[in-house]
Structures are given as C-alpha cells and as structure tokens.
Amino acid sequence: MTQQPSGALQNEPRGVLVVAIDGPSGSGKGTIAHRLAAALGFHILDSGALYRLIGLAACNHQVDLADEAALAKIAAELDVHFIPTEDPQEPLQIVLEGQHVTRLIRTDDAGTNASQVAKFTAVRDALIQRQRDFAQAPGLIADGRDMGTVVFPDAALKIYLTASAEARAQRRYKQLKDKGMGVSLHALFLSIQARDEQDMNRLVAPLKPAADALIIDSTEMSLEEVFDTVLAAAQARLG
Ligand code: DC
C-alpha cells in the first residue's frame, strides 16, 4: 500500500474520477463543463470563479491588486458558498461574505482583475487544497487554466479547449449581451488578447495543455459538436 507522504497535498481522493478542462478565456469551457457535469452526475469546480472572487474581495476591502501577501491572505480566508440551482443559465449561485455576487463576478473587468491576481504564487498556493477538496464521489469536472497541469495532474481525462481569439470574442460578446450586459465587441477582442498574453506567459502555472491532454480547437465547431466530442472522450475514458 502506498502512503501519502506526511504533509503532502492529496490531489485526487481514491476512486473519484476527475475530468480536467483547461483553455483560454471564452473557449466555451464553462458551458461544456456544466453540461458534462450534468450528463455524468459529477460535481463541478469553476476555478476561474475563485480568482474572480479574490479580485472582487480585494476591491471590496481596498486591497491593492499588486499586493501579493494581502491577496494571499484573502485567498486563504475566502468566505464563499456555491449553491447549485435548477437554472441552466445560472447553474450556481455564488455568495461572497454574505453577498450574492453571481453576476458581479462575470463582468469583463472582473475577469481582468482575476487574471491579475492569478499571477501570484502565494495566491495560487493558497487555493490549491480548496480546489482539490471539490473532488468528491462520484467525480468532478474541473474547469480552469491549470487543472490538468497543476491542480489535478492525475486526472482521468484532460481536455484542452481552444478557439481563435476572434471566435472567442464573438462568443463572449453574445454571452454577455444575453445576460443584459452592455459591451463592445472590439473591446472584448482586445481584452481577450491581453488576458491570453497574461495567462499564457506568467511564471507560475501558465496556461498550456497538459502533455497528455486531448486538444480540441472549436473555432469551426458548434457547441453541440464540441460537447459530443468531449462526452465521447469521457465515456471512453471513464467506462
Ligand atoms: O475562467 P475565467 O475567465 O473565469 O478565469 C478568470 C481568470 O482567472 C483567468 O483570466 C486567469 C485566472 N485563472 C487561473 O489563473 N487559473 C485557473 N485555474 C482559472 C482561472
């Protein structure tokens, strides 16, 4: 029997299947992750929401987004609850320090702030075990940037979902408009490019496909085609 070295973080409890879905902003990971979780009856981890919440909590408490130590403290003490709903448009209600922030953290500015706080090693370290604790039976769909490379390196299946920056900006534009949020397509395109640059080139846990990830470029694919591809891969891998 192998034993976990003392003090080591356990990244996947025995018997719990993890599907890691990573990719850049607007690649459709979130939608695919929720649909896959519903199809398989698995739990879901929206790790981007954690970074968005840290950015929001920092703004609420007037903490500088460049202050790594203060941000890490916020990350370690984050008082957040994820409450599942029956609404496919908003499958999780998010409550931060007693305040409903489900929509507040979805703005483009909240994404930019999240990318800023996510650069810091101390912030990422403070979130590792919290993310691993989401791995509960029968399984977990983990959506993010470093799910397959850092947080769940032993995941049963790793997907890297991408698309051109133009296609992702178009999709994000539609998504935000459908939620009643006013945005400019060009501004979104520039913001997506800036976020790619920051997320892919940071020193710690940069966005990249795991060596054993199935890479799906969805630029020319419909959501249904992407979902069918991912579901088939999950069924083949998970049995
Ligand atoms: O997936 P999202 O757009 O909600 O993520 C917002 C930002 O959070 C993203 O630009 C980078 C950061 N992030 C990260 O660094 N690692 C993750 N696992 C998830 C998100």
Side-chain angles (χ1 to χ4, degrees), residues 103 106-110 169-189 191:
R103 289 170 66 89
R106 294 298 162 201
T107 63
D108 196 50
D109 282 351
Q170 283 280 1
R171 289 177 197 163
R172 219 350 100 78
Y173 178 70
K174 183 169 181 317
Q175 236 176 22
L176 293 178
K177 263 191 90 173
D178 288 351
K179 288 189 179 182
M181 301 183 192
V183 277
S184 125
L185 178 59
H186 185 63
L188 272 181
F189 175 70
S191 157

Side-chain angles (χ1 to χ4, degrees), residues 22-23 25-26 29 46-49 51-52 106 110-111 114-115 118-119 124 131 143-147 151 172 195 199 202 205:
D22 290 304
S25 177
K29 290 172 292 122
D46 172 1
S47 61
Y51 292 97
R52 287 170 183 264
R106 294 298 162 201
S115 177
K119 288 191 309 195
R124 303 196 75 86
Q131 293 175 91
D143 159 2
R145 302 293 188 288
D146 61 343
M147 298 295 98
V151 182
R172 219 350 100 78
R195 206 117 73 80
D199 293 345
R202 67 183 175 218

Side-chain angles (χ1 to χ4, degrees), residues 142-223:
D143 159 2
R145 302 293 188 288
D146 61 343
M147 298 295 98
T149 51
V150 176
V151 182
F152 299 107
D154 303 327
L157 175 64
K158 299 177 186 175
I159 306 275
Y160 187 86
L161 192 55
T162 188
S164 72
E166 289 81 1
R168 289 184 283 126
Q170 283 280 1
R171 289 177 197 163
R172 219 350 100 78
Y173 178 70
K174 183 169 181 317
Q175 236 176 22
L176 293 178
K177 263 191 90 173
D178 288 351
K179 288 189 179 182
M181 301 183 192
V183 277
S184 125
L185 178 59
H186 185 63
L188 272 181
F189 175 70
L190 295 179
S191 157
I192 275 187
Q193 277 189 321
R195 206 117 73 80
D196 282 358
E197 167 71 22
Q198 181 148 278
D199 293 345
M200 290 173 181
N201 296 310
R202 67 183 175 218
L203 294 175
V204 51
L207 169 63
K208 61 174 183 190
D212 49 351
L214 167 66
I215 299 178
I216 302 174
D217 184 332
S218 72
T219 307
E220 304 290 338
M221 293 168 81
S222 68
L223 184 65

Side-chain angles (χ1 to χ4, degrees), residues 51 68 72 117-128 203-205:
Y51 292 97
E68 179 167 3
V117 305
K119 288 191 309 195
F120 296 118
T121 307
V123 171
R124 303 196 75 86
D125 286 352
L127 288 183
I128 287 256
L203 294 175
V204 51

